[in-house]
Amino acid sequence: MTDSLRFACTGCGKCCTGHHVPLTLSEARQWADAGGQVVVLIEAFVTDGPGMPAEQRDHVLRRSHPVPCGSGEARVSVTFAAFNPGRCRNLDDNDLCTIYEQRPLVCRIYPVEINPHIPLRPESKDCPPEAWQQGPQLIHGTQLLDAGLEALVQASRQADRDDIAAKVAVCQRLGMTTSAVKGNGFTAYLPDMGAFATALSQVAETDGERWTLHVENEALVSDLQAWGMQTTSEPPVYYAFIGF
Ligand code: SF4
Ligand code: SF4
């Protein structure tokens, strides 16, 4: 980890290819309205139990929502992301963003990390080496030196907290109620975008759907069942299990 980093974007466009871009609720609405596909990524944990990283307790609790699971309660974190398996639909032939002024928050923040527990590591980013050898000093220790960027990071974290109940309600409306366990994987859904847009317009009406945790590790299954959790290891049909 470098204590002090300089950075200036070279405009290479690599971060706009092969990255599912996390979206706030209102950005997901805009993405859907513009004809884009959203991928829904879900992970869950038990408060002070399986899946909860103790050192990130406050952070993960704030951006998760309680749901009934088995005879107990799980907390789920839901990410709505622009589905970009290849080039982003907004990247033009010159590698320029065609919605630059309206691009999502995360696009404005990259390569900075949103999770306060993940240090910024150039080697885990797509930016070429020269991007880290030019421009103003970006970070010192864990302190972001660009006040505008810091405000965007805070806005993104706040949206995570503000949006989570509505995102869970959308998942429940669309029957997306099987989650992976945090640290063990994600469940990933590609909803029909017409149904997704309808669910987004109805999010005020929250259901009390019961959730299930997708786990293939037998020791973790036993641990979760001791907490009263409902688990499944059946081959997924309507979602993908992306295990770690
Ligand atoms: S919206 Fe624009 S900045 Fe964001 S990934 Fe797509 S092309 Fe890149
Ligand atoms: S990968 Fe880095 S340098 Fe390249 S466009 Fe994205 S932010 Fe800029």
Side-chain angles (χ1 to χ4, degrees), residues 43-46 48-54 60 181-184 220 223-224:
E43 55 181 0
F45 62 91
V46 181
D48 297 320
M52 193 183 93
V60 297
V181 173
K182 192 169 176 59
N184 189 244
L220 185 53
D223 201 6
L224 288 160

Side-chain angles (χ1 to χ4, degrees), residues 9 17 26 45 77 87 101 115 145-146 157 171-172 181 195 198 202 206 219 226 230:
C9 175
T17 300
S26 65
F45 62 91
S77 298
R87 288 170 66 82
E101 295 304 326
N115 183 332
L145 299 178
D146 181 325
R157 288 180 190 159
C171 290
Q172 293 180 168
V181 173
T198 302
Q202 297 171 335
T206 308
Q230 171 75 38

Side-chain angles (χ1 to χ4, degrees), residues 7 9-15 110-111 126-128 131:
F7 180 77
C9 175
T10 65
C12 70
K14 285 191 181 146
C15 57
Y110 193 89
D126 282 341
C127 311

Side-chain angles (χ1 to χ4, degrees), residues 15-17 21 31 84 88-91 96-100 103-104 107:
C15 57
C16 304
T17 300
V21 177
W31 200 267
N84 287 344
C88 175
R89 66 197 302 275
N90 296 314
L91 197 60
L96 296 175
C97 176
T98 56
I99 60 161
Y100 189 77
R103 69 198 188 286
C107 300

Side-chain angles (χ1 to χ4, degrees), residues 35-236:
Q37 175 69 51
V38 169
V39 58
V40 179
L41 302 165
I42 310 177
E43 55 181 0
F45 62 91
V46 181
T47 304
D48 297 320
M52 193 183 93
E55 70 288 358
Q56 298 188 20
R57 189 176 194 279
D58 289 348
H59 175 68
V60 297
L61 282 175
R62 278 195 297 256
R63 62 191 302 278
S64 61
H65 191 72
V67 296
C69 178
S71 59
E73 181 184 272
R75 293 191 70 94
V76 290
S77 298
V78 177
T79 300
F80 290 168
F83 183 60
N84 287 344
R87 288 170 66 82
C88 175
R89 66 197 302 275
N90 296 314
L91 197 60
D92 73 12
D93 291 343
N94 297 314
D95 289 339
L96 296 175
C97 176
T98 56
I99 60 161
Y100 189 77
E101 295 304 326
Q102 289 82 39
R103 69 198 188 286
L105 260 182
V106 162
C107 300
R108 297 164 193 264
I109 291 168
Y110 193 89
V112 168
E113 298 288 355
I114 291 165
N115 183 332
H117 299 279
I118 299 180
L120 175 57
R121 296 182 196 281
E123 62 274 21
S124 64
K125 299 293 171 178
D126 282 341
C127 311
E130 56 270 30
W132 305 99
Q133 292 158 6
Q134 58 190 15
Q137 198 175 346
L138 176 69
I139 202 163
H140 186 76
T142 56
Q143 178 78 38
L144 257 183
L145 299 178
D146 181 325
L149 200 48
E150 176 63 24
L152 293 176
V153 170
Q154 293 303 333
S156 176
R157 288 180 190 159
Q158 190 61 47
D160 268 357
R161 297 170 204 159
D162 293 346
D163 293 349
I164 184 59
K167 286 180 181 171
V168 170
V170 168
C171 290
Q172 293 180 168
R173 291 211 151 253
L174 297 178
M176 301 188 294
T177 53
T178 300
S179 173
V181 173
K182 192 169 176 59
N184 189 244
F186 286 97
T187 50
Y189 297 82
L190 284 177
D192 171 86
M193 290 310 292
F196 184 81
T198 302
L200 270 178
S201 68
Q202 297 171 335
V203 286
E205 304 161 40
T206 308
D207 305 323
E209 292 291 323
R210 201 154 285 274
W211 284 64
T212 301
L213 303 178
H214 184 110
V215 186
E216 296 180 356
N217 173 308
E218 286 181 17
L220 185 53
V221 168
S222 302
D223 201 6
L224 288 160
Q225 289 179 348
W227 286 79
M229 298 292 107
Q230 171 75 38
T231 66
T232 180
S233 58
E234 292 294 312

